Amino acid sequence: MGKSKILIIGASGNLGFHLAEASLKFDHPTFALVRDSAFSDPIKAQKLHSLSHAGATLLKGSLQDEASIVEAVKLVDVVISAVSAKQTLDQKLLIRVIKQSGSIKRFIPAEFGADPTKVQIYDLEDGRNFYAPKLEIRQMVEAEGIPYTCICCNFFMKILLPSLVQPGLNAPPRDKVTIFGDGNTKGIFVKENDVAAFTISTVDDPRTLNKVLYLRPPGNVCSLNELVEMWETKIGKKLEKSHVSEEELVKKIKGTSYPANFEQLFIYSAFIKKDHTYFDIESSNGVNGTELYPQLKYTTVSEFLDTLV
C-alpha cells in the first residue's frame, strides 16, 4: 500500500508550511488548499512557490467555498487543518464535507496546543474564548464518527521561549527576570518543524487512530526556574529575580483583552495552572509522541536557547 495522499489546509501559514514540507519529506503525495489572496502576499507566495517546486499540488479554494473543499477532499486520504485560532470554527463546513465523502481515513483538526479538554482556564473569558471553539470542533469530529488524530504539542518554541517567558520582550533578558508563581511548574515547548514531523508520522499509524497525540519531549519539559538557570549558565551571569503571584497575573490578564494579554494567559495556563503536565496520558484515548516515534530527532530547549546567546 502506498503512502496516504495528504491535504493541508493553511499551508501558507507558519505551522501549515512545516506540515506540507514534512509531508513531502516523508514521501506523501501532498496537496494544499490555498486562498487566492495568499498569492498576492509576498511571504505566503514565496512559501507556496517553494512547496510547488518541491512537488506539492496547489489547489485554489477556501474553507468558505464548499465546492472547492469537496473537490480537494476527493483527491486525498488524509486532511490536516492548520488554520489559525480565530478560524477554528470555520472548520465546520470542512467536517461536514469529510463526513459526506466517507472516504477520508484520517482528519487532524487545528488544535496544536494545550489539550482543550484539559485546560483549566475556562473561568477566564479570554481562556474560554480561545479554547471553547477548539473543544467544540473536537466534539463535532467525534460525534460525526470521523476517524481522527488530535495533536497536543503545548507551546511552539516561538511562543514565549525567545523571551525566556518574559511578556513584551523579543529576546531573553540579561539583567533582570520575572518568575511567575513559584517557578516550579513545568511547561512544554516543541519547535514547529518537529511538531510537523510528529504529526505526519501519525497519519498511517493505526496506534494513533481516534487518539490524542501528546508531545512531551524529554529536555523540553521545563519550569521557569529551570529555564532561568539554563540561561544563566549559558551567559555566565546570574539574573536579578522578581516574582509575580497568581493573583497579580490574573489581575493583569483581566485588565487587558485578547490578543494583547495572550502571553500572560498562556503563562497562567502552563506555569500556574499546570495545564501541560498535571495529568497522565491515558492509553484509552492518548499516546505519547516521543515514545511512539523514538527515531524522530527534535530540537531541545537547551539547543534553542544556544541560538539566542
Side-chain angles (χ1 to χ4, degrees):
M1 197 175 84
K3 295 272 187 112
S4 285
K5 298 189 284 289
I6 298 177
L7 173 66
I8 312 283
I9 315 274
S12 63
N14 184 47
L15 178 63
F17 179 67
H18 288 298
L19 285 164
E21 281 194 317
S23 178
L24 290 162
K25 180 183 172 186
F26 288 114
D27 298 321
H28 289 274
T30 303
F31 299 77
L33 188 70
V34 182
R35 287 178 296 191
D36 264 335
S37 58
F39 293 97
S40 53
D41 178 312
I43 294 171
K44 290 182 176 181
Q46 187 170 0
K47 287 181 177 179
L48 295 171
H49 175 75
S50 163
L51 292 176
S52 177
H53 185 71
T57 301
L58 305 184
L59 308 168
K60 287 192 179 180
S62 76
L63 287 181
Q64 288 75 35
D65 178 0
E66 184 170 0
S68 70
I69 302 173
V70 169
E71 289 307 308
V73 165
K74 280 180 187 172
L75 299 171
V76 299
D77 309 299
V78 172
V79 178
I80 304 177
S81 176
V83 297
S84 66
K86 63 177 180 286
Q87 293 178 282
T88 298
L89 294 178
D90 291 346
Q91 297 173 104
K92 286 184 174 184
L93 178 58
L94 172 64
I95 292 167
R96 285 197 289 273
V97 170
I98 289 172
K99 172 70 173 178
Q100 287 161 5
S101 81
S103 61
I104 295 302
K105 66 180 193 180
R106 196 75 63 97
F107 174 50
I108 300 179
E111 285 197 14
F112 300 108
D115 187 338
T117 71
K118 304 289 189 187
V119 293
Q120 305 168 102
I121 59 170
Y122 282 98
D123 55 323
L124 291 174
E125 185 181 0
D126 290 321
R128 190 165 59 250
N129 290 343
F130 187 84
Y131 284 108
K134 292 178 181 284
L135 180 60
E136 184 179 339
I137 290 298
R138 187 186 300 183
Q139 291 171 338
M140 184 179 177
V141 170
E142 290 173 340
E144 293 288 3
I146 293 168
Y148 71 89
T149 301
C150 292
I151 310 295
C152 290
C153 56
N154 301 296
F155 287 145
F156 296 142
M157 282 191 173
K158 70 169 193 147
I159 305 285
L160 294 172
L161 197 55
S163 69
L164 211 69
V165 195
Q166 304 298 296
L169 294 188
N170 296 319
R174 293 180 180 265
D175 298 302
K176 300 176 180 179
V177 67
T178 301
I179 305 288
F180 297 91
D182 63 11
N184 294 323
T185 300
K186 295 177 187 285
I188 301 170
F189 299 88
V190 190
K191 204 169 182 193
E192 291 87 336
N193 62 320
D194 296 328
V195 173
F198 281 104
T199 301
I200 299 300
S201 298
T202 69
V203 300
D204 288 325
D205 188 345
R207 298 173 297 174
T208 59
L209 179 61
N210 298 333
K211 296 280 177 79
V212 180
L213 183 91
Y214 293 97
L215 295 183
R216 295 177 172 181
N220 292 16
V221 184
C222 304
S223 71
L224 294 177
N225 288 335
E226 288 168 338
L227 283 176
V228 170
E229 189 177 335
M230 212 184 292
W231 181 243
E232 287 176 331
T233 302
K234 290 180 188 300
I235 64 171
K237 181 183 179 182
K238 290 287 183 190
L239 302 181
E240 183 186 325
K241 298 168 188 70
S242 60
H243 286 77
V244 170
S245 69
E246 176 176 346
E247 293 73 25
E248 289 173 286
L249 184 57
V250 170
K251 192 174 175 184
K252 285 184 180 182
I253 293 168
K254 289 180 175 177
T256 47
S257 57
Y258 190 87
N261 62 3
F262 90 92
E263 290 178 311
Q264 286 94 342
L265 188 68
F266 288 165
I267 289 168
Y268 177 65
S269 172
F271 295 107
I272 303 287
K273 301 300 284 184
K274 307 180 181 178
D275 283 343
H276 292 182
T277 55
Y278 77 85
F279 58 94
D280 293 326
I281 298 170
E282 297 161 14
S283 59
S284 59
N285 68 345
V287 286
N288 184 319
T290 43
E291 290 176 5
L292 280 194
Y293 310 114
Q295 76 279 12
L296 289 182
K297 302 287 181 260
Y298 58 87
T299 299
T300 64
V301 163
S302 179
E303 289 166 346
F304 182 83
L305 291 180
D306 283 339
T307 69
L308 305 176
V309 174

